[in-house]
């Protein structure tokens, strides 16, 4: 049995899609959903999905081994970031080399880095007059959005696109490809 921990800071729609994708797979389970945000929508989703969840604060994440120890106790094989807003600390990075992945709602290396999240990304893509955008699934390192890319999928930016409808089409791509990419990464562990 391969075990996944999902980290999310917000709504958690990707986290839910991932949980659904693996729900009837006997070899893979989403064992825990972790968040830094007590008000994150992902917490309600976790309880509805019957997945154990945990809220942590900045101090325990960056200045203790508490979170690492929980991941170890649960025998987590892969860490999946899905809208998680904080950098992953050194202790977790070194314990999970090539076992932490993220999804970014643009074609990295463009439109990545600190401050490039959610609507900021789509606003920047539209303002720059890009004709295409997409998703990037990548390994996580100590910098925002800079780890090695695993998979990218493109879509067209339409003439009348607003950040909202671009975001919605990007989400559809994410739902389709993130779970499959996770499955692929798990087979290579
Ligand atoms: C997604 O667009 C993802 O690419 C980005 O954050 C967003 C999370 O959305 N990293 P949700 O919380 O899964 O709905």
């Amino acid at each position: 049995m391969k075990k996944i921990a999902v980290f999310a800071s917000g709504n958690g729609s990707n986290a839910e899609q991932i949980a659904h994708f693996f729900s009837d797979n006997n070899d893979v389970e989403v064992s825990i959903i972790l968040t830094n945000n007590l008000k994150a929508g992902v917490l309600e989703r976790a309880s509805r999905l019957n997945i154990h969840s945990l809220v942590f604060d900045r101090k325990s994440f960056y200045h203790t081994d508490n979170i690492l120890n929980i991941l170890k106790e649960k025998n987590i094989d892969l860490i999946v970031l899905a809208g998680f807003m904080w950098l992953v600390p050194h202790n977790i990075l070194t314990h999970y080399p090539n076992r932490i992945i993220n999804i970014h709602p643009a074609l990295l290396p463009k439109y990545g880095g600190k401050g490039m999240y959610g609507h900021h990304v789509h606003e920047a893509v539209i303002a720059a007059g890009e004709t295409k955008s997409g998703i990037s699934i990548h390994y996580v390192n100590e910098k925002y959005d800079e780890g090695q890319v695993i998979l990218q999928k493109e879509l067209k930016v339409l003439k009348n696109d607003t950040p909202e409808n671009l975001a919605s089409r990007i989400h559809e791509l994410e739902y389709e490809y993130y779970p499959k990419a996770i499955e692929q990464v798990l087979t290579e562990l």
Side-chain angles (χ1 to χ4, degrees):
M1 164 75 81
K2 294 270 169 54
K3 297 186 172 191
I4 300 172
V6 177
F7 283 68
S9 301
N11 181 21
S13 67
N14 275 283
E16 179 159 359
Q17 290 293 322
I18 293 161
H20 279 310
F21 183 86
F22 291 111
S23 60
D24 49 12
N25 182 329
N26 293 327
D27 301 322
V28 180
E29 91 174 3
V30 175
S31 305
I32 183 168
I33 292 178
L34 300 103
T35 184
N36 59 312
N37 177 6
L38 194 56
K39 295 185 179 153
V42 75
L43 287 171
E44 183 274 323
R45 293 180 193 265
S47 89
R48 183 160 37 78
L49 293 161
N50 222 0
I51 297 173
H52 181 63
S53 64
L54 183 85
V55 183
F56 57 85
D57 63 14
R58 190 171 280 281
K59 182 168 172 271
S60 68
F61 197 46
Y62 289 109
H63 301 296
T64 74
D65 282 332
N66 293 355
I67 302 302
L68 176 61
N69 288 339
I70 288 165
L71 298 171
K72 283 189 199 168
E73 275 159 26
K74 291 201 163 280
N75 293 314
I76 296 300
D77 298 288
L78 184 71
I79 296 173
V80 170
L81 310 187
F84 182 61
M85 303 297 293
W86 288 357
L87 287 173
V88 177
H90 189 72
N91 61 342
I92 297 178
L93 284 174
T94 50
H95 200 266
Y96 289 95
N98 286 326
R99 284 168 181 256
I100 311 176
I101 65 175
N102 182 42
I103 190 162
H104 186 76
L107 298 171
L108 292 173
K110 285 178 134 184
Y111 306 105
K114 194 166 165 50
M116 273 293 164
Y117 60 89
H119 65 96
H120 300 290
V121 176
H122 309 303
E123 281 163 13
V125 165
I126 289 170
E130 297 284 358
T131 55
K132 60 183 189 183
S133 188
I135 60 170
S136 302
I137 296 164
H138 64 94
Y139 288 107
V140 169
N141 65 18
E142 66 286 352
K143 297 195 178 139
Y144 284 110
D145 306 322
E146 289 194 16
Q148 188 199 330
V149 169
I150 299 166
L151 176 76
Q152 291 186 308
K153 288 286 167 187
E154 293 182 7
L155 51 65
K156 281 192 178 136
V157 178
L158 307 175
K159 266 205 181 114
N160 297 325
D161 260 336
T162 61
E164 291 73 26
N165 61 30
L166 180 56
S168 141
R169 294 206 312 289
I170 295 256
H171 262 114
E172 293 302 321
L173 267 192
E174 295 184 329
Y175 301 156
E176 182 175 358
Y177 288 103
Y178 204 15
K180 288 182 193 162
I182 292 164
E183 189 173 44
Q184 182 59 37
V185 169
L186 284 171
T187 63
E188 292 161 12
L189 290 185

